[in-house]
Amino acid sequence: MNGAIYIRTLALALSFANTLQVIILFIQYRVNKTQSGLGWWMLGSALWTLGFAFNYMRSFPALELVGIVGNNASFVSGLVFQYIGILRFFGRRERRWPLIAFCIIVILTAIYSTYISNDRLIRRENISIALAILSFLTAGALFKYNSRFVPASAYFLAVVFLVNGGYFAIRAFAVLAGAPINEIFTDSLTQFSSYVVPLTTGTLWTFGFITIVNQRSNMEVTEAKNRFEQIFNTSPDAVAITRLHDGVIVNINKGFTRLIGFTPEEAIGKSTLDLNVWVNADDRQIFVRELIKNGFCDNYETDLYRKDGSLISGSFSASTINLNGIPHVIVVIRDITESKLAKQNLKTYSERLEEEAEKRAGELRTAQEQLVHQEKLAVMGQLAGGVGHELRNPLSVINSSVYFLKLYQPNADAKVKEYHGIIEQAVRTSEKIISDLLDFARIKSVDREPVPASELIDRTLERFPVPASVDVNVKTAAGLPMIYVDLSQMTQVLGNLIVNAYQAMPNGGQLSLLTCLQDDMIRMTIQDNGEGISPENMKKLFEPLFTTKPRGIGLGLAVSQKLTEANGGRIEVQSEAGRGSSFHLFLPISEEFA
Amino acid sequence: MNQGLHILVVDDDRRMTRTLADILLLSGHIVTEASSAADALEKASTMPFDCVLTDIKMPEMNGVELNRRLLERQPGLPVLLMTAYAADELLHQGLADGAAGVFEKPLDINHLLGFFNSLSEHRTIVIVDDDPLFCQTLDDILVHRGFKVSQISEPQLTDIELVTSGAQMILLDMKLNGFSGLDILRDIRARYPALPVMIVTAYRQDMAEAIQAALEIDAYACLYKPLEIPKLLQLLTKIQLENLRGMLNTQ
């Protein structure tokens, strides 16, 4: 009886001790949310505790059978939960159905052997083998999935389960080997051990659980720290941790040393202002203000001095972080000097490109304008040609009509005769305009031949007689080669230039016609001392339809230039307003003399 | 002797034909107006003209084509072209086809009138032959072909003025009734050294000496009877064209 009381007390003490363990595991479960499996352990421990409570019930005859079944069921499922907890702790998943099936078989066997056959042997074998199997499974899982971070505590736990398994295996074997199956509450060694071992193992594995969790937590912290340091140090960007309130540097990485030039020894403990890295001290203020306001700062661009005084462009990204409760700033500085330079270059380049494009576009516009101008001239020429020809017919009729009137009234009075003259003059002027237009619209075929320059001059002066008020001075160098031109066309050109010169000197003056050899060409200079040409008119001189004369359509020089160029020559002009003009007519010389 | 010409003026611009007609009428010529090439061809086929003055640019058929068709039928008809367009391809074509000349618009009327005067004075081809039948047949043929012809079948040595007046060329038989053609030729040469004279004879052998002498004093050519009419026409056309162009250029 003493023994029974003793065992009962033991069971009670076990329950109590296990309850405490459950509480401990519960606390651990609540605190340590990041690790899985802890809840299962707590449940396992709770069931185990319940098992001891059931054991206690067995000392009361009325509750004995319920106690036995409850104890068995609690122990088996408690150990299953521990097993699941271990698997989950290592990130594994249990195979649910075999475990459930296992539990049901063991519990059903326990119920059968208790209520139906009341076979104590089967009952004891059943529970011992089940617990041994589960202990070995758990130990195996610990050995198998033991991660490298928690070897010591994992081995410890594995050994605890192994021993536990071993104990139950021996118990099962002992029964089979014929060891007496005593009343449960006898104080024989076996009975005693069946209390002490669960108590010991239960305590040990709770201890083991706590250790393994702590060990793993430590591992993870160390790992995280290492990882952080690794990232911190291997980052190609410069990283610094500073105190928020005074900017004192707490740590810098190699990237920082590489970029800014300061070693950790030089930098740590000093503020960035002490190190004089800010080109604009205000930048730090703006940067910190933004950081405080938002808690972070992204790609804030500013210029910095390196240790050697050279300038770099940095892009700052930062966020606040609490280290030991003090707000710090972790700053990442990316060197954007190159990219900024590249950007600048790109900008310059694109500007230059734009400029170039603009220039090209301008050239194109000019060319196009010229083209349009040419086109306009061509159209005008065509139009003028067509219109000119068409005008010649009615002009011819007018001409014939006047002729008829003169013929019909040979003795008409003077007024009528004067009007005949006026009409005839107007017809001649019209015809001249049409001829100019047609000359401009279409160059007749050029019929070039070697001609002495003097012949061109003589013929021209003959066709365009000199007004009395003009004094002409013709000077022709001796021994000149012949020119190679279409004589009638060049007579027209030279005549044009000479008539222009006459008209530039309405009150008389001096006209010089100087001919000499220059650069394998004959140069004829038609020089007047008339009114000269203003600079703005100079530009438009050869433009068609440009004229300063009250009468005339402004094709004379345009036609002259066209004809001269068609003859392989060119016209150049020099003029000074008020002092006269010089037109240089360059003409090709005959090949025979070249 | 200045007799007026019968001139056909062709222009699609009726004001042009009208004013020209009035001027030419006042200058003593007879004018027929035509307003198209077709009109002109029709009129030319029904009456003889001394000269045709046609505009080049006309609808349907142009003046150059008209010139070609006219000369096809009447190689002896002088045709003048008028144009408002200088240096035209058509113009060259017209001249190559045998147009006498080109007048640019507005017309130089004095030049034109001068040309007509020359033409009226030197337009006739004078046939001097004592065979009236020969004269008549040749006359008919040449007139039909657009030439102006006069015939002298009873020549007198003293009539040299009559022979040469208004003549642009003379067809002279070497053996006349009682005269020597050679003597007449000598007379003509003495007064008009440049007047083309073509000698005609039926006696190639007998007259060889005289022919030689005639050619030496610039007889244009010697033709033998029976005349090869196409060859004669060709020759006359050529001589006339030279004459006409000469007249135009001396204006």
Side-chain angles (χ1 to χ4, degrees):
Chain A
M1 210 49 203
N2 269 347
I5 290 165
Y6 176 67
I7 291 297
R8 241 179 248 149
T9 313
L10 199 63
L12 207 62
L14 271 170
S15 292
F16 183 69
N18 273 295
T19 305
L20 284 179
Q21 288 174 25
V22 169
I23 290 166
I24 290 166
L25 284 174
F26 177 74
I27 291 165
Q28 195 182 35
Y29 167 72
R30 292 293 302 176
V31 170
N32 221 324
K33 293 273 186 189
T34 58
Q35 305 203 26
S36 40
L38 270 62
W40 292 97
W41 292 343
M42 180 193 76
L43 285 175
S45 237
L47 285 169
W48 203 256
T49 308
L50 197 64
F52 286 117
F54 277 119
N55 243 1
Y56 178 75
M57 285 161 69
R58 286 165 71 176
S59 59
F60 305 100
L63 298 173
E64 188 187 0
L65 294 181
V66 179
I68 290 167
V69 173
N71 167 271
N72 284 3
S74 297
F75 273 19
V76 168
S77 47
L79 213 54
V80 165
F81 281 10
Q82 307 280 36
Y83 172 62
I84 291 172
I86 292 294
L87 287 177
R88 293 280 175 101
F89 183 76
F90 289 119
R92 304 278 158 176
R93 277 273 160 183
E94 70 284 353
R95 295 171 68 194
R96 188 183 300 171
W97 293 113
L99 281 175
I100 290 172
F102 180 82
C103 283
I104 289 170
I105 289 165
V106 172
I107 291 166
L108 285 179
T109 308
I111 291 168
Y112 174 81
S113 60
T114 307
Y115 285 100
I116 297 163
S117 69
N118 197 14
D119 187 337
R120 188 182 290 180
L121 180 72
I122 291 172
R123 209 160 62 205
R124 186 163 288 193
E125 284 302 301
N126 176 45
I127 189 67
S128 296
I129 291 168
L131 292 181
I133 287 171
L134 285 171
S135 294
F136 288 143
L137 265 178
T138 309
L142 278 162
F143 279 124
K144 191 174 171 187
Y145 302 124
N146 172 22
S147 89
R148 61 193 169 86
F149 296 116
V150 285
S153 46
Y155 284 134
F156 171 77
L157 262 181
V159 169
V160 171
F161 278 98
L162 209 58
V163 169
N164 194 47
Y167 164 74
F168 283 108
I170 290 164
R171 208 168 84 128
F173 185 72
V175 171
L176 282 181
I181 303 161
N182 299 325
E183 273 298 312
I184 188 111
F185 288 112
T186 58
D187 47 0
S188 71
L189 182 67
T190 320
Q191 284 297 339
F192 178 75
S193 68
S194 67
Y195 280 92
V196 173
V197 170
L199 172 68
T200 317
T201 53
T203 310
L204 285 178
W205 76 47
T206 299
F207 173 74
F209 283 152
I210 290 166
T211 319
I212 198 169
V213 167
N214 282 345
Q215 202 174 1
R216 185 191 253 194
S217 290
N218 276 334
M219 287 285 188
E220 278 175 355
V221 169
T222 314
E223 201 182 340
K225 200 176 156 223
N226 286 342
R227 209 181 296 146
F228 172 78
E229 267 175 16
Q230 215 168 347
I231 291 168
F232 184 78
N233 272 322
T234 54
S235 165
D237 296 323
V239 187
I241 300 169
T242 63
R243 276 206 299 263
L244 182 63
H245 72 275
D246 56 4
V248 165
I249 294 166
V250 178
N251 201 0
I252 59 168
N253 71 346
K254 285 176 188 154
F256 188 93
T257 307
R258 211 166 30 237
L259 182 65
I260 314 290
F262 295 102
T263 60
E265 292 75 36
E266 292 165 328
I268 290 169
K270 292 185 183 137
S271 85
T272 50
L273 290 171
D274 291 337
L275 293 177
N276 194 27
V277 295
W278 301 92
V279 173
N280 295 314
D282 289 346
D283 278 352
R284 188 186 123 80
Q285 292 299 321
I286 298 166
F287 173 63
V288 169
R289 213 175 298 140
E290 190 173 335
L291 200 54
I292 291 169
K293 192 174 134 204
N294 301 327
F296 67 90
C297 181
D298 255 349
N299 294 321
Y300 177 81
E301 288 184 14
T302 183
D303 288 338
L304 295 175
Y305 290 122
R306 301 180 79 239
K307 186 184 165 191
D308 61 11
S310 55
L311 202 67
I312 56 163
S313 293
S315 164
F316 280 59
S317 294
S319 69
T320 48
I321 181 176
N322 276 322
L323 293 180
N324 304 323
I326 302 164
H328 281 71
V329 183
I330 176 155
V331 196
V332 179
I333 307 163
R334 178 157 292 177
D335 181 9
I336 55 165
T337 312
E338 295 269 307
S339 75
K340 213 172 159 186
L341 207 68
K343 228 187 258 172
Q344 186 63 41
N345 283 345
L346 212 66
K347 205 178 151 206
T348 318
Y349 186 68
S350 86
E351 272 169 5
R352 207 180 307 149
L353 213 66
E354 250 169 60
E355 234 168 69
E356 191 70 15
E358 185 61 35
K359 204 174 118 201
R360 285 287 153 83
E363 280 168 12
L364 218 63
R365 259 201 302 280
T366 314
Q368 197 212 11
E369 274 163 19
Q370 272 170 359
L371 215 65
V372 167
H373 190 62
Q374 297 274 322
E375 184 88 351
K376 244 154 90 181
L377 284 182
V379 169
M380 191 206 75
Q382 257 175 347
L383 188 72
V387 169
H389 283 134
E390 290 311 315
L391 276 177
R392 273 181 165 168
N393 280 315
L395 215 54
S396 194
V397 174
I398 296 169
N399 205 33
S400 324
S401 302
V402 180
Y403 198 93
F404 172 77
L405 291 176
K406 279 167 74 185
L407 213 59
Y408 192 71
Q409 298 180 302
N411 301 316
D413 63 50
K415 204 67 184 167
V416 172
K417 282 183 172 170
E418 188 195 338
Y419 271 81
H420 290 161
I422 290 172
I423 298 173
E424 279 181 326
Q425 184 56 45
V427 169
R428 268 198 294 278
T429 309
S430 306
E431 168 57 17
K432 171 80 174 83
I433 290 172
I434 291 168
S435 298
D436 276 356
L437 270 176
L438 293 178
D439 280 342
F440 179 73
R442 158 170 73 173
I443 291 269
K444 289 176 217 152
S445 57
V446 183
D447 186 13
R448 297 163 76 181
E449 55 183 344
V451 184
S454 55
E455 192 184 328
L456 172 60
I457 293 167
D458 292 346
R459 205 189 249 240
T460 308
L461 288 176
E462 198 178 297
R463 254 187 68 183
F464 301 90
V466 190
S469 60
V470 174
D471 189 13
V472 177
N473 169 30
V474 180
K475 261 191 207 161
T476 307
L480 288 176
M482 293 219 258
I483 50 176
Y484 185 65
V485 293
D486 183 312
L487 186 59
S488 77
Q489 288 179 356
M490 287 328 294
T491 306
Q492 194 185 336
V493 171
L494 188 59
N496 225 323
L497 298 178
I498 288 175
V499 170
N500 280 347
Y502 296 161
Q503 288 170 347
M505 305 181 287
N507 304 317
Q510 170 93 35
L511 174 77
S512 303
L513 238 169
L514 313 166
T515 309
C516 62
L517 190 65
Q518 182 182 330
D519 302 333
D520 285 342
M521 288 190 111
I522 294 290
R523 192 190 76 187
M524 285 186 184
T525 299
I526 301 98
Q527 193 181 338
D528 65 63
N529 59 354
E531 49 213 32
I533 303 161
S534 70
E536 66 264 27
N537 284 348
M538 198 75 159
K539 280 181 258 169
K540 300 185 242 167
L541 211 53
F542 291 96
E543 277 180 22
L545 305 181
F546 171 77
T547 182
T548 57
K549 297 173 194 166
R551 271 182 221 149
I553 51 169
L555 285 174
L557 280 176
V559 169
S560 296
Q561 191 179 42
K562 222 172 141 179
L563 283 175
T564 308
E565 280 168 7
N567 274 270
R570 65 177 195 276
I571 302 177
E572 288 176 8
V573 197
Q574 286 172 327
S575 187
E576 208 176 314
R579 301 198 55 177
S581 317
S582 294
F583 281 79
H584 304 288
L585 180 60
F586 289 88
L587 296 174
I589 57 179
S590 173
E591 293 283 319
E592 295 163 38
F593 297 88
Chain B
M1 179 184 157
N2 187 356
Q3 54 186 123
L5 301 173
H6 190 181
I7 302 165
L8 177 61
V9 177
V10 193
D11 198 317
D12 59 320
D13 186 344
R14 284 179 186 277
R15 298 167 307 173
M16 195 68 212
T17 57
R18 183 65 192 281
T19 49
L20 273 174
D22 285 346
I23 290 166
L24 292 171
L25 268 172
L26 279 179
S27 307
H29 300 287
I30 303 163
V31 177
T32 298
E33 298 172 41
S35 59
S36 71
D39 192 9
L41 280 173
E42 195 194 321
K43 282 171 173 153
S45 66
T46 54
M47 57 184 118
F49 291 102
D50 294 310
C51 183
V52 176
L53 177 61
T54 179
D55 190 22
I56 289 183
K57 200 183 169 214
M58 289 186 291
E60 286 163 25
M61 192 193 298
N62 64 38
V64 172
E65 176 67 11
L66 172 64
N67 170 58
R68 202 178 58 74
R69 293 213 193 170
L70 283 173
L71 293 186
E72 232 168 48
R73 276 192 267 166
Q74 304 180 43
L77 185 61
V79 180
L80 294 176
L81 302 172
M82 296 185 286
T83 181
Y85 303 84
D88 204 296
E89 270 298 303
L90 277 173
L91 229 151
H92 294 293
Q93 185 59 48
L95 289 174
D97 288 344
V102 179
F103 279 83
E104 285 187 8
K105 286 182 176 181
L107 298 173
D108 183 341
I109 292 170
N110 279 328
H111 188 189
L112 189 64
L113 290 178
F115 172 74
F116 285 144
N117 279 338
S118 302
L119 189 61
S120 70
E121 282 166 13
H122 307 285
R123 162 91 169 98
T124 318
I125 295 168
V126 182
I127 305 166
V128 184
D129 198 310
D130 57 354
D131 180 351
L133 220 54
F134 174 79
C135 283
Q136 192 53 51
T137 50
L138 194 56
D139 189 325
D140 285 344
I141 291 168
L142 294 183
V143 166
H144 186 69
R145 295 310 229 157
F147 292 98
K148 187 178 162 75
V149 182
S150 72
Q151 35 176 306
I152 298 173
S153 53
E154 291 173 2
Q156 309 286 317
L157 264 178
T158 50
D159 276 352
I160 204 70
E161 202 56 52
L162 182 76
V163 168
T164 55
S165 83
Q168 65 162 320
M169 77 180 97
I170 296 168
L171 279 175
L172 179 64
D173 195 328
M174 284 303 280
K175 196 177 181 193
L176 297 164
N177 198 6
F179 297 99
S180 157
L182 188 58
D183 290 342
I184 296 179
L185 176 62
R186 287 200 177 106
D187 245 10
I188 294 169
R189 274 284 162 269
R191 296 193 202 194
Y192 305 101
L195 187 66
V197 178
M198 241 179 284
I199 48 175
V200 183
T201 184
Y203 310 98
R204 190 184 290 235
Q205 272 81 36
D206 299 359
M207 300 300 291
E209 210 171 296
I211 290 165
Q212 186 58 41
L215 290 174
E216 273 169 21
I217 53 168
D218 288 336
Y220 197 91
C222 181
L223 304 172
Y224 298 101
K225 289 181 181 177
L227 294 178
E228 291 175 53
I229 299 298
K231 197 180 168 191
L232 175 69
L233 284 175
Q234 214 177 354
L235 207 55
L236 294 181
T237 305
K238 189 184 159 214
I239 294 168
Q240 177 172 286
L241 196 58
E242 278 171 14
N243 280 337
L244 294 173
R245 289 184 177 165
M247 284 178 207
L248 269 173
N249 289 335
T250 52
Q251 288 299 310

